[in-house]
Amino acid sequence: DGGITQSPKYLFRKEGQNVTLSCEQNLNHDAMYWYRQDPGQGLRLIYYSQIVNDFQKGDIAEGYSVSREKKESFPLTVTSAQKNPTAFYLCASSASPGPPNTDTQYFGPGTRLTVL
Amino acid sequence: AQSVTQLDSQVPVFEEAPVELRCNYSSSVSVYLFWYVQYPNQGLQLLLKYLSGSTLVKGINGFEAEFNKSQTSFHLRKPSVHISDTAEYFCAVRFNAGNNRKLIWGLGTSLAVNP
């Protein structure tokens, strides 16, 4: 089965702790993305990576970090510096920017992070 | 600035009625347009996309959307909705300027189908 997996589905952490969210894809996609979703605010881009060993900040990168050591994996670390980390986190991937896929993004099932 | 506006945050509708979810975007550059659906506590699933060609695009689950370049719109329609269509719907746009591969997202429209 090809797709994107995110683990865990639910995650709880204590205030002040770092936590890492996993995202793996077996679609052979070049680009990967992390979004944060809060009620009524749509999707906000945290970080994205267009190629291995390279990534760029999105619109709300503060308090987050990522790595892209392998094409298949794009883990997101929520650090203690993130002031309001409780949210639903979505990982996505896309193939090359040219036709036919033209950067269509495909999403994982999401991880709901709750800070206690 | 490039932006995407979903004009209705909530749309209540009765089962078997038609529905239209509206999406407008800013900018005169060429665009790729997408509609996604999100069921509760799940990821987003692609409904349909417009890249080029015919302005009427058909997607999964009986949905279709029409690209209107002059009005910079990409409204989503379904002639007869089911209870199972109750979900959040997101419009997204890729503005084709430079090397930017990011999508700009609307805030979503919550479709509630009532019996």
Side-chain angles (χ1 to χ4, degrees):
Chain A
D1 253 335
I4 304 174
T5 57
Q6 291 185 243
S7 61
K9 189 168 177 63
Y10 298 95
L11 189 56
F12 299 88
R13 80 153 210 218
K14 292 182 180 178
E15 216 171 312
Q17 289 180 336
N18 292 356
V19 63
T20 297
L21 281 58
S22 166
C23 178
E24 304 278 331
Q25 55 99 358
N26 61 4
L27 300 168
N28 199 32
H29 284 173
D30 296 315
M32 296 186 75
Y33 311 80
W34 272 107
Y35 292 93
R36 171 183 172 136
Q37 187 177 27
D38 297 281
Q41 296 196 46
L43 276 71
R44 293 185 289 169
L45 184 64
I46 305 172
Y47 268 98
Y48 65 105
S49 167
Q50 297 190 33
I51 196 168
V52 174
N53 291 322
D54 187 46
F55 48 82
Q56 289 80 39
K57 292 182 180 179
D59 302 315
I60 55 163
E62 185 176 350
Y64 299 97
S65 66
V66 293
S67 63
R68 186 87 188 276
E69 296 176 1
K70 298 187 298 181
K71 190 175 185 178
E72 305 79 21
S73 178
F74 191 42
L76 173 75
T77 297
V78 184
T79 75
S80 55
Q82 168 49 234
K83 290 182 171 46
N84 186 19
T86 294
F88 191 51
Y89 290 87
L90 288 159
C91 179
S93 70
S94 67
S96 65
N101 290 303
T102 323
D103 261 343
T104 302
Q105 293 187 15
Y106 296 91
F107 285 80
T111 292
R112 186 166 298 280
L113 173 65
T114 303
V115 175
L116 303 172
Chain B
Q2 295 165 342
S3 64
V4 177
T5 302
Q6 292 185 240
L7 293 148
D8 306 293
S9 60
Q10 295 183 340
V11 173
V13 64
F14 287 110
E15 195 174 16
E16 297 183 6
V19 71
E20 178 180 81
L21 307 184
R22 297 179 291 169
C23 175
N24 285 86
Y25 62 92
S26 64
S27 178
S28 58
V29 303
S30 76
V31 292
Y32 299 140
L33 302 157
F34 304 84
W35 274 101
Y36 286 83
V37 61
Q38 184 181 33
Y39 299 102
N41 290 311
Q42 295 186 27
L44 277 68
Q45 180 183 3
L46 180 69
L47 270 179
L48 48 78
K49 60 185 176 183
Y50 170 81
L51 304 179
S52 65
S54 172
T55 57
L56 182 63
V57 180
K58 293 191 184 298
I60 62 170
N61 301 342
F63 284 92
E64 64 180 33
E66 185 155 21
F67 169 48
N68 188 318
K69 187 175 180 180
S70 63
Q71 297 187 1
T72 61
S73 69
F74 190 53
H75 300 335
L76 181 71
R77 302 185 183 102
K78 186 169 182 178
S80 176
V81 294
H82 302 292
I83 298 285
S84 59
D85 292 322
T86 295
E88 191 85 14
Y89 292 80
F90 290 95
C91 177
V93 179
R94 178 182 159 188
F95 296 91
N96 297 323
N99 292 322
N100 189 353
R101 294 175 64 181
K102 293 192 295 183
L103 292 180
I104 308 299
W105 293 85
L107 295 181
T109 297
S110 179
L111 175 65
V113 181
N114 300 298

